[in-house]
């Protein structure tokens, strides 16, 4: 009878590397929260007092600025560990 061609040794598995805990930079959380708050405040001021000199000149671009800041905050929140 022919010998079977199975391996007698176990398949090599590399040793597990020690997982290091990733830490967020200290500036990340304050900037993230600040973007959310400033974005919401920007949109609120645009709706509450649209005749403010700096805000009235931008018209509907105020929404883009406000939502842009909120989106930046959300993107930063994905980097938070």
């Amino acid at each position: 009878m022919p010998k079977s061609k199975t391996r007698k040794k176990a398949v090599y598995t590399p040793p597990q590397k020690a997982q290091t805990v990733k830490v967020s930079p200290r500036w990340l959380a304050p900037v993230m929260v600040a973007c959310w708050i400033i974005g919401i405040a920007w949109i609120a001021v645009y709706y509450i007092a649209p005749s403010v000199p700096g805000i009235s000149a931008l018209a509907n671009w105020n929404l883009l600025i406000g939502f842009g800041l909120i989106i930046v905050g959300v993107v930063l929140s994905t980097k938070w560990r």
Side-chain angles (χ1 to χ4, degrees), residues 15-40:
Q16 295 291 328
K17 292 181 181 177
Q19 291 185 357
T20 58
V21 177
K22 295 181 180 179
V23 179
S24 302
R26 294 181 61 113
W27 57 266
L28 188 78
V31 171
M32 173 181 66
V33 173
C35 284
W36 288 336
I37 292 172
I38 293 170
I40 291 170

Side-chain angles (χ1 to χ4, degrees), residues 5-70:
K5 295 183 179 183
T6 59
R7 291 185 178 178
K8 295 189 181 191
K9 288 179 162 181
V11 177
Y12 174 75
T13 54
Q16 295 291 328
K17 292 181 181 177
Q19 291 185 357
T20 58
V21 177
K22 295 181 180 179
V23 179
S24 302
R26 294 181 61 113
W27 57 266
L28 188 78
V31 171
M32 173 181 66
V33 173
C35 284
W36 288 336
I37 292 172
I38 293 170
I40 291 170
W42 192 288
I43 293 171
V45 168
Y46 171 62
Y47 277 114
I48 293 171
S51 61
V52 173
I55 298 233
S56 62
L58 294 173
N60 285 333
W61 284 99
N62 288 303
L63 294 175
L64 181 69
I65 293 169
F67 283 119
L69 285 168
I70 293 169

